[in-house]
Amino acid sequence: MKTLPALLLAASLYAQSGQNVAGTEVHVLPVQGNVFMLLGAGGNTTLQAGKDGALVVDTQFAELAPKIVAEIRKLTERPIIWMVNTHVHPDHTGGNEALSKPYGPGPGQTPRIIAHENVLNRMTQTGPNQPEIPAGMWPNDEYGTAQKDIFFNGEAVVIYHMPRAHTDGDSIVFFRKSDVVSTGDIFTPGTWPVIDLARGGSVQGTIDALNAILKLTVPARYQDGGTLVIPGHGRLCDESDVVEYRDMLTIVRDRVQDLIRKGMTLEQVKEARPARDYETEYTGVPGRWTRDQFIEAVFKSLSEARK
Amino acid sequence: MKFVSFFCLLAALTVAAANAQVDFTGEWAPLYHEDGPERGPGPELGDYTEFPINDAARMRADSYDADRISVVQEYQCRPHGADYALRGLGQLRIWRDIDPATQRTTAFHLHFLAWDSERTIYLDDRPHPPDYALHTFQGFSTAVWEGNMLTVTTTNLKANYLRRNGLPRSDKAILTEHWTKHGDYLTITTVIEDPVFLTEPLVRSDNWYIDPGQHIGIFGCEYAAEVPKPEGAVPHHLPGANTNLREFANWYGLPFEATRGGAETLYPEYRSKITPYNPPAKCTRYCNCTSLFNCNVDSR
């Protein structure tokens, strides 16, 4: 019974599906090489477009699909061949079905939707208090290995599994020739890290994943640009921005760990405000994720690891 | 005919006055008579004087461990931001682009010694990129003329520092510069507005003199693992555990609370609120610092 609130919370994280997104404008930002970034109402969408067709990383909400496709069509007339879900949350998977059917390879064919197998498991094994997720939204090309490679539009696209990070089914997508990494919600600059414990996330896994991203990034001259990073939410970034975020999460982890060692309870840790020097820089997700929930997730994740 | 010539001359002079463009091009050598110890050897730990910082900035600086810039490879070649670049090792070269059709300046380009940083300031009325575009250490700068003064606005900055002792400046900050030239001297007055870390605008100024013989060398930077560290380590001090914070106050005989920064401490009225100031009997630290090269700790 104690886990019910956590499950409900997890179900609501970023779960804006069904909200009125009619007035939402979709902004397209050319990133570099074949890659574009689409900002709308959900998580950021990454588009890789070329003669082979379109590859879409994260699909935002079903309601936004027409607008997203309208923007994709300005860049390529080719069908969507591949889709990748970086994790299970509906603001990243909500448009799977809506984008698949009308804009896929052709009649009777749908794009391949790649995701880690834990995404499929989470979608197909919803809890008793969670709504069922239609089969058309499920990944149909799941993987269970450390990485999955495809070659598309003239470049290697490497999909890495990041274990127990934001959730237990996180993937990051590295476009090797374009030199762009799409991170999903492992990296959300300006927003308190959402660590979805109920779906297998952990603070250490998130830090490990951020450090893994930093191993892929190489800055260009003046430490700007080079490998560009499309976060799950927020603006286009590069290595320095990931470093700032990694530092914040590492420092907060160390502080909470220190307070746990001193025997403080969760309430005492929250009262100590171990992230107070980041409170003017980071915000929550209105109505869904707060600073205290972030601190609680760090506390519980570290406490669990000590057992 | 004389009347026409006079009219043309008058028109040309009028246009020149209206445009009031100043040529800032040249090799500029920095003057360190302002804030020499901070800009040369580096600021003291715990010295937050002169900054209208909020509590978040203060705590961020308190937890800062300078090991971070050597131990963490991603920091080793991180340059000064556009604002601090004017204060650091600031040997500066400026050149400009001119529109051949109008003979108007369309951009100034800056090259700094430190990290070989380069920056462009556009004067062609182009818009700033949206906030969701990539931010850079030098940001995106546009400028307008206000009489003989060039006023520059910079957005899209990456997170950096206000002072090199951990006082942070966020990527939401907007930098405004006012450039003025007085004979062989250049003064740039900067105003930083940062909703994340400042409660009031931070105003500073920096000066250069023209130095046609100046040769800016290659800075170069290549990061390397020189100090063993655990994977993913980020050096920092836990809250309350930084034992260096009182050094500055002790060395200079200052009340500790006066070294903690904040808007209130910037104004003369603050003197009446602090405990009596008892300066040390003898200066022992940075007593005669007028340039980058004579900032010795025991310089008296």
Side-chain angles (χ1 to χ4, degrees):
Chain A
M1 197 60 190
K2 276 185 181 174
T3 58
L4 183 58
L7 283 171
L8 291 172
L9 169 66
S12 69
L13 289 176
Y14 291 125
Q16 302 165 58
S17 191
Q19 72 170 14
N20 181 11
V21 295
T24 300
E25 203 174 333
V26 174
H27 299 281
V28 178
L29 188 65
V31 179
Q32 61 188 7
N34 291 329
V35 177
F36 302 81
M37 173 177 169
L38 283 71
L39 301 96
N44 292 326
T45 292
T46 301
L47 168 70
Q48 186 236 37
K51 61 180 174 51
D52 295 341
L55 184 156
V56 174
V57 181
D58 288 344
T59 56
Q60 304 200 25
F61 298 116
E63 296 85 344
L64 268 181
K67 289 184 177 179
I68 289 174
V69 167
E71 296 301 329
I72 292 175
R73 285 289 165 263
K74 292 176 187 173
L75 301 167
T76 178
E77 288 295 322
R78 305 289 292 156
I80 298 171
I81 304 295
W82 295 97
M83 289 160 54
V84 182
N85 291 150
T86 58
H87 62 286
V88 68
H89 288 150
D91 59 329
H92 292 258
T93 58
N96 281 2
E97 188 170 22
L99 286 177
S100 292
K101 285 185 178 171
Y103 311 109
Q109 302 179 79
T110 56
R112 296 199 189 170
I113 306 177
I114 298 173
H116 188 265
E117 62 186 4
N118 287 342
V119 173
L120 183 62
N121 293 339
R122 298 278 176 194
M123 282 192 172
T124 55
Q125 298 167 24
T126 52
N129 295 298
Q130 294 173 302
E132 283 192 10
I133 297 171
M137 291 178 64
W138 299 353
N140 54 26
D141 194 3
E142 72 277 12
Y143 72 100
T145 50
Q147 74 179 65
K148 182 179 178 70
D149 306 333
I150 60 176
F151 195 88
F152 193 61
N153 285 323
E155 70 175 323
V157 181
V158 186
I159 301 159
Y160 296 98
H161 174 50
M162 297 286 126
R164 297 208 62 199
H166 169 62
T167 67
D168 61 5
D170 293 318
S171 297
I172 63 171
V173 184
F174 183 32
F175 299 91
R176 285 216 307 216
K177 188 174 177 184
S178 298
D179 204 8
V180 176
V181 186
S182 182
T183 68
D185 284 357
I186 290 166
F187 173 50
T188 57
T191 304
W192 295 119
V194 176
I195 302 166
D196 188 350
L197 301 182
R199 298 190 188 192
S202 73
V203 64
Q204 190 55 52
T206 305
I207 291 170
D208 292 343
L210 291 165
N211 284 318
I213 292 166
L214 290 173
K215 285 183 178 172
L216 294 177
T217 56
V218 180
R221 201 174 181 199
Y222 316 127
Q223 299 291 295
D224 289 321
T227 308
L228 296 182
V229 181
I230 299 176
H233 298 258
R235 66 172 174 83
L236 181 62
C237 292
D238 63 14
E239 180 182 272
S240 305
D241 303 303
V242 181
V243 168
E244 295 287 332
Y245 189 85
R246 184 276 313 267
D247 289 1
M248 178 274 296
L249 187 55
T250 302
I251 289 169
V252 172
R253 176 205 61 186
D254 291 350
R255 290 175 181 170
V256 173
Q257 186 75 72
D258 180 60
L259 298 175
I260 291 172
R261 283 199 198 101
K262 290 175 177 169
M264 283 194 179
T265 64
L266 172 59
E267 288 310 311
Q268 288 171 324
V269 169
K270 283 182 185 174
E271 200 171 322
R273 290 171 57 203
R276 62 186 181 278
D277 50 340
Y278 294 97
E279 289 176 4
T280 54
E281 185 173 5
Y282 290 84
T283 62
V285 182
R288 295 174 185 84
W289 189 251
T290 64
R291 175 204 63 195
D292 279 355
Q293 286 171 310
F294 162 60
I295 295 299
E296 183 171 337
V298 174
F299 180 93
K300 289 182 173 174
S301 182
L302 294 172
S303 299
E304 182 67 27
R306 283 164 65 93
K307 288 178 184 173
Chain B
M1 194 62 185
K2 277 184 182 176
F3 176 76
V4 172
S5 298
F6 174 74
F7 180 78
C8 290
L9 178 62
L10 184 64
L13 288 172
T14 304
V15 168
N19 291 340
Q21 296 197 5
V22 175
D23 184 7
F24 294 105
T25 59
E27 297 281 343
W28 295 95
L31 294 167
Y32 293 106
H33 59 282
E34 286 183 278
D35 307 324
E38 174 193 342
R39 298 165 62 187
E44 310 281 18
L45 295 169
D47 175 10
Y48 310 150
T49 55
E50 306 169 34
F51 288 88
I53 53 172
N54 60 17
D55 289 340
R58 191 176 295 110
M59 182 177 175
R60 191 78 69 90
D62 285 352
S63 71
Y64 176 73
D65 185 335
D67 275 355
R68 201 179 303 170
I69 57 174
S70 57
V71 169
V72 182
Q73 288 189 38
E74 290 90 357
Y75 279 98
Q76 290 177 0
C77 292
R78 182 177 282 205
H80 296 324
D83 43 350
Y84 202 91
L86 302 170
R87 320 215 84 217
L89 296 172
Q91 277 79 3
L92 169 63
R93 177 184 306 127
I94 302 175
W95 67 104
R96 64 175 174 165
D97 296 339
I98 294 175
D99 180 350
T102 64
Q103 290 300 303
R104 294 175 65 88
T105 302
T106 55
F108 284 111
H109 302 278
L110 287 66
H111 177 99
F112 293 94
L113 167 64
W115 287 278
D116 306 312
S117 295
E118 293 198 345
R119 180 179 167 207
T120 299
I121 297 169
Y122 297 102
L123 290 93
D124 56 2
D125 299 325
R126 70 180 63 194
H128 283 239
D131 185 60
Y132 56 78
L134 187 69
H135 289 214
T136 61
F137 284 107
Q138 303 309 317
F140 186 90
S141 301
T142 58
V144 295
W145 293 103
E146 296 183 281
N148 286 328
M149 182 174 72
L150 185 70
T151 294
V152 185
T153 303
T154 301
T155 61
N156 294 75
L157 288 160
K158 272 184 185 167
N160 206 247
Y161 33 77
L162 296 170
R163 183 173 267 174
R164 288 180 294 140
N165 58 2
L167 279 176
R169 194 262 292 136
S170 82
D171 66 353
K172 305 257 185 327
I174 294 176
L175 168 66
T176 304
E177 294 158 74
H178 301 291
W179 290 36
T180 49
K181 190 177 173 189
H182 324 270
D184 289 342
Y185 290 85
L186 168 65
T187 297
I188 301 179
T189 304
T190 63
V191 182
I192 302 170
E193 294 169 276
D194 185 349
V196 176
F197 293 121
L198 296 175
T199 61
E200 292 182 5
L202 172 65
V203 183
R204 296 189 283 198
S205 62
D206 299 283
N207 297 284
W208 290 259
Y209 68 91
I210 195 79
D211 184 3
Q214 174 175 267
H215 173 73
I216 299 178
I218 297 170
F219 190 87
C221 188
E222 174 189 358
Y223 49 68
E226 295 176 333
V227 183
K229 65 156 183 119
E231 179 86 11
V234 179
H236 65 96
H237 295 285
L238 291 169
N242 188 344
T243 57
N244 302 316
L245 297 178
R246 289 183 178 269
E247 284 180 348
F248 173 69
N250 293 339
W251 280 329
Y252 295 96
L254 295 168
F256 178 62
E257 63 269 27
T259 67
R260 305 291 287 161
E264 185 187 23
T265 66
L266 306 185
Y267 298 97
E269 295 77 18
Y270 181 70
R271 289 182 181 177
S272 64
K273 293 190 175 184
I274 59 177
T275 52
Y277 173 48
N278 297 308
K282 182 181 175 185
C283 175
T284 58
R285 192 172 177 82
Y286 296 136
C287 305
N288 187 29
C289 188
T290 57
S291 80
L292 181 63
F293 303 105
N294 68 359
C295 275
N296 300 314
V297 170
D298 299 311
S299 58
R300 186 168 179 179

